[in-house]
Amino acid sequence: MSETLIEGPLNAVHTELGAAFAPFGGWSMPVKYAGTVGEHTAVREAVGIFDVSHLGKATVAGPGAKDFVNRVLSADLGKIHPGKAQYTLCTNESGGVIDDLIVYYVSDDELFLVPNAANTAAVVAHLVARAPEGITVTDQHRDYAVLAVQGPKSAEVLQAVGLPTDMEYMAYEDAVLSGPAGVPVRVCRTGYTGEHGYELIPAWGDAETVFRSLLPEITARGGQPAGLGARDTLRTEMGYPLHGHELTVDITPVQARAGWAVGWKKPEFVGREALLAEKEAGPARRLWGLRATGKGVLRADLTVLSADGAPIGTTTSGTFSPTLKTGIALALIDSAAGVEKGTVVSVDVRGRAIECEVVLPPFVEANTK
């Protein structure tokens, strides 16, 4: 029986724009419009807009909501303040990652969460199971849309429609789109591309108004709508993790080099003891980048081989880099293999060994500030 996919608020608009669709996390998502390479390049050089309304949304509210969330999720909310957002991890008792997500700090008594599409229910359940009396956790997956405007000209686009742009990285403001509609939009200096950009959160029913206001400003600046294909090539070039690939319940933040998203000095969060023990002992495997020096496109779930042909790891993501014009991959490699930056390995692609150089991501320089 075929899977029944959820449609976002803009699927009719994407169809109008000629998008090709594919399933992702239970949703029908636009993968590309004119073409992934062109969309990728537009984001790196000008500006692109992504519809990522499939991302989850949830609210944690009640007296002490901030302290409660801080006792559950990995990052230290004590390091930020209302008006800021924080990348964090929802880990289990063994240190595995149920999901990675963004937390918007609204007040000490209210936080807004944006987890991944397929994991929203699991994150909500994880929090509900631990919530003390007076704290409510509400799944708002289809109450809000999420649009990402990314690229060096993204600020120009937002300014043209009356939205704020002069904010620190990972800060947000609640604003109103210019025009007769007066649509409220939450604007945050975040993104998943490695470029200067913003993520906009309007109400689900206002998504089309916001998208249609932004699109002509984007195309006027040499940009274009971008699909899931370009989102993946852009994030892979930056070495950003995708849950289900670089982060899973079996891949800890220590292994994935995501320890920067862990509040190691916090007295409490789920999985703390297991992660501290792994950090102290050293992980059995670590995430590395691979840059192909031979011809071939790298994909996920391929075997990484040492110079003498012994299996030493597995790729977690792989693609052709439009920026570097070569194959790149992220891979979990056994620590016992002793690889370091510059080590030459190979990847088994259907029986053919593609030579690669081990690198520490990102593959290209970030321009997020």
Side-chain angles (χ1 to χ4, degrees):
M1 185 179 292
S2 62
E3 181 184 12
T4 300
L5 299 174
I6 304 168
E7 292 192 355
L10 295 171
N11 276 36
V13 178
H14 300 315
T15 300
E16 176 187 316
L17 293 171
F21 291 85
F24 182 80
W27 291 66
S28 176
M29 296 290 297
V31 176
K32 63 179 180 179
Y33 301 84
T36 295
V37 173
E39 294 161 22
H40 176 111
T41 303
V43 172
R44 286 278 183 251
E45 297 181 357
V47 61
I49 182 169
F50 301 84
D51 174 16
V52 287
S53 299
H54 66 299
L55 292 173
K57 306 97 191 171
T59 296
V60 182
K66 172 252 185 178
D67 290 337
F68 159 63
V69 171
N70 205 31
R71 292 194 301 270
V72 178
L73 303 183
S74 69
D76 187 357
L77 280 167
K79 292 185 176 180
I80 64 170
H81 53 76
K84 294 280 283 188
Q86 184 181 68
Y87 177 83
T88 189
L89 305 169
C90 179
T91 46
N92 60 23
E93 296 291 354
S94 61
V97 181
I98 297 169
D99 200 17
D100 60 335
L101 62 152
I102 300 290
V103 175
Y104 288 74
Y105 189 167
V106 181
S107 72
D108 287 353
D109 299 333
E110 182 182 346
L111 296 104
F112 184 74
L113 316 181
V114 181
N116 286 291
N119 301 326
T120 302
V123 171
V124 169
H126 186 80
L127 290 164
V128 167
R130 292 164 173 79
E133 186 176 352
I135 298 291
T136 59
V137 185
T138 307
D139 188 335
Q140 296 186 293
H141 206 147
R142 284 193 258 185
D143 291 347
Y144 298 96
V146 184
L147 304 175
V149 181
Q150 301 282 297
K153 296 183 180 179
S154 57
E156 294 178 25
V157 170
L158 266 63
Q159 289 162 8
V161 297
L163 293 177
T165 60
D166 187 16
M167 58 189 82
E168 296 178 350
Y169 187 59
M170 297 298 285
Y172 74 90
E173 293 183 24
D174 289 329
V176 176
L177 186 76
S178 64
V183 174
V185 181
R186 178 164 287 172
V187 181
C188 191
R189 270 281 291 113
T190 52
Y192 195 50
T193 64
E195 295 298 329
H196 186 102
Y198 304 83
E199 291 182 311
L200 315 182
I201 305 177
W204 186 273
D206 290 332
E208 184 170 342
T209 298
V210 176
F211 188 91
R212 290 193 185 278
S213 296
L214 293 165
L215 188 57
E217 301 296 342
I218 286 167
T219 56
R221 290 165 175 80
Q224 56 186 289
L228 216 60
R231 184 172 163 86
D232 192 57
T233 55
L234 289 158
R235 72 94 189 169
T236 305
E237 286 187 346
M238 298 313 304
Y240 292 161
L242 175 62
H243 193 274
H245 291 254
E246 288 72 44
L247 294 168
T248 72
V249 291
D250 298 314
I251 302 173
T252 70
V254 178
Q255 297 166 24
R257 298 185 187 273
W260 58 271
V262 176
W264 296 107
K265 294 181 180 180
K266 287 201 305 182
E268 182 182 357
F269 66 89
V270 178
R272 179 178 182 270
E273 289 72 24
L275 289 173
L276 281 170
E278 184 180 34
K279 182 185 179 188
E280 184 176 349
R285 55 185 182 171
R286 291 295 296 270
L287 192 73
W288 288 93
L290 304 178
R291 179 172 176 167
T293 53
K295 290 185 177 180
V297 178
L298 307 177
R299 300 296 184 199
D301 302 318
L302 301 176
T303 301
V304 181
L305 306 170
S306 66
D308 60 6
I312 58 172
T314 304
T315 58
T316 54
S317 292
T319 191
F320 175 81
S321 165
T323 303
L324 301 175
K325 304 295 190 292
T326 191
I328 59 172
L330 298 170
L332 281 169
I333 297 179
D334 298 340
S335 298
V339 303
E340 55 188 22
K341 287 173 61 176
T343 299
V344 175
V345 298
S346 61
V347 175
D348 183 350
V349 181
R350 294 188 297 275
R352 185 167 70 90
I354 296 178
E355 189 173 279
C356 299
E357 177 188 3
V358 173
V359 301
L360 191 62
F363 295 93
V364 300
E365 187 175 351
N367 183 34
T368 56
K369 302 301 182 184

